[in-house]
Amino acid sequence: MTTKKILIVDDCQTELLHLKKILEDAGYQTITANSGDEAIKKIRQERPNLVLLDIVMEGKDGYHTCREIHKEPTTSDLPIVMVTSKTQAADRMWASKQGASGFISKPYTNEQILDQVKVLA
């Protein structure tokens, strides 16, 4: 079985390191990006199996990034899970409209992250 590669996108270094530890401890390979633009570049280069994407970021937010990823034919079916401090039903609905496969509100448990990754990666 090949190791699944997960791209973690967040402009908060602490959050990136926390998610990286959860995933690597569970045996996943991780890549990180600090912005939507960097995420799109890394997706093209690295071809991850799944993206964990923050919504609130400087520059291109997670909604815009998700929409852009799914516009490209080569990445249109890439599963994206929004991992965000946003908690409203409207946020979930908007994430889904942009093409997100999952939505996890912060604070989250390790199990919430790993359950979504197992299902979607």
Side-chain angles (χ1 to χ4, degrees):
M1 183 177 106
T2 58
T3 303
K4 299 288 185 176
K5 191 185 300 186
I6 313 298
L7 173 61
I8 307 163
V9 187
D10 202 306
D11 57 353
C12 172
Q13 196 62 30
T14 304
E15 191 64 32
L16 281 178
L17 293 173
H18 184 240
L19 285 167
K20 185 174 173 67
K21 178 161 179 29
I22 292 169
L23 293 168
E24 288 180 355
D25 285 353
Y28 294 98
Q29 181 183 350
T30 62
I31 316 156
T32 60
N34 296 304
S35 69
D37 287 328
E38 186 183 359
I40 290 165
K41 282 182 195 151
K42 293 233 174 146
I43 288 167
R44 289 178 183 141
Q45 293 167 353
E46 302 275 350
R47 298 287 179 209
N49 300 95
L50 174 76
V51 178
L52 297 180
L53 178 62
D54 187 24
I55 293 175
V56 182
M57 297 185 290
E58 289 290 318
K60 191 176 292 180
D61 69 15
Y63 294 131
H64 188 121
T65 303
C66 185
R67 193 167 53 245
E68 201 166 305
I69 292 165
H70 283 143
K71 273 187 189 171
E72 282 193 34
T74 57
T75 57
S76 62
D77 60 349
L78 179 62
I80 298 173
V81 176
M82 299 298 204
V83 181
T84 181
S85 55
K86 293 185 161 285
T87 59
Q88 301 297 312
D91 299 315
R92 283 181 183 277
M93 187 224 31
W94 191 242
S96 179
K97 280 186 174 289
Q98 306 314 306
S101 306
F103 191 98
I104 299 172
S105 294
K106 297 174 188 174
Y108 50 77
T109 64
N110 293 12
E111 290 75 27
Q112 284 175 296
I113 296 295
L114 294 173
D115 287 350
Q116 282 285 292
V117 171
K118 282 178 198 155
V119 169
L120 296 169

